[in-house]
Amino acid sequence: QVQLVESGGGLVQPGGSLTLSCAASGRIFTIANMGWYRQAAGKERELVARISKDGTIKYADSVSGRFTISRDNAKNTVTLQMNSLKPEDTAVYYCSAHVFTTATSVEDSWGQGAQVTVSS
């Protein structure tokens, strides 16, 4: 069993910044991809950013140049730095991780979600 615990989020004015952090714990052999998804009210969950163990990164077009994802493999953590936030960034943000619990067993884990609201 793997647990992902998120922190950060909250209310910020347009143009402001927020940082989301996520820590994985439990039965972890190694973690492949870690990432962040978001789900706005009435919309489907979408990928925000993803980072592989070797540091390969993918951003959604809507956040490229404004958001930065990073990870600490030694601590099993992933961070999303969000700058120049817009009202359309308002959503619940979910941390995700593709975790190998053993050399051959894989588990896709999700955090509990963190509300990000961008409003004046």
Side-chain angles (χ1 to χ4, degrees):
Q1 193 79 18
V2 176
Q3 298 82 39
L4 299 182
V5 178
E6 303 167 5
S7 60
L11 173 64
V12 65
Q13 293 186 344
S17 298
L18 281 175
T19 301
L20 298 177
S21 298
C22 174
S25 63
R27 189 179 183 187
I28 299 172
F29 177 72
T30 190
I31 302 177
N33 289 338
M34 299 187 81
W36 293 91
Y37 288 72
R38 68 185 180 187
Q39 187 167 18
K43 296 187 177 181
E44 294 185 353
R45 189 174 298 189
E46 63 176 1
L47 174 70
V48 176
R50 182 176 65 227
I51 182 168
S52 68
K53 187 174 182 179
D54 67 1
T56 301
I57 292 173
K58 176 180 175 63
Y59 292 106
D61 290 343
S62 59
V63 307
S64 183
R66 300 188 297 121
F67 291 11
T68 301
I69 189 170
S70 60
R71 67 185 280 178
D72 185 325
N73 290 332
K75 297 181 179 179
N76 292 327
T77 59
V78 62
T79 299
L80 185 69
Q81 174 65 43
M82 304 182 289
N83 298 326
S84 302
L85 282 160
K86 304 175 181 180
E88 51 263 43
D89 294 317
T90 296
V92 178
Y93 285 69
Y94 296 91
C95 174
S96 74
H98 190 69
V99 181
F100 283 83
T101 55
T102 68
T104 56
S105 298
V106 175
E107 176 179 322
D108 284 318
S109 298
W110 293 89
Q112 77 278 12
Q115 178 69 48
V116 171
T117 302
V118 185
S119 175
S120 56

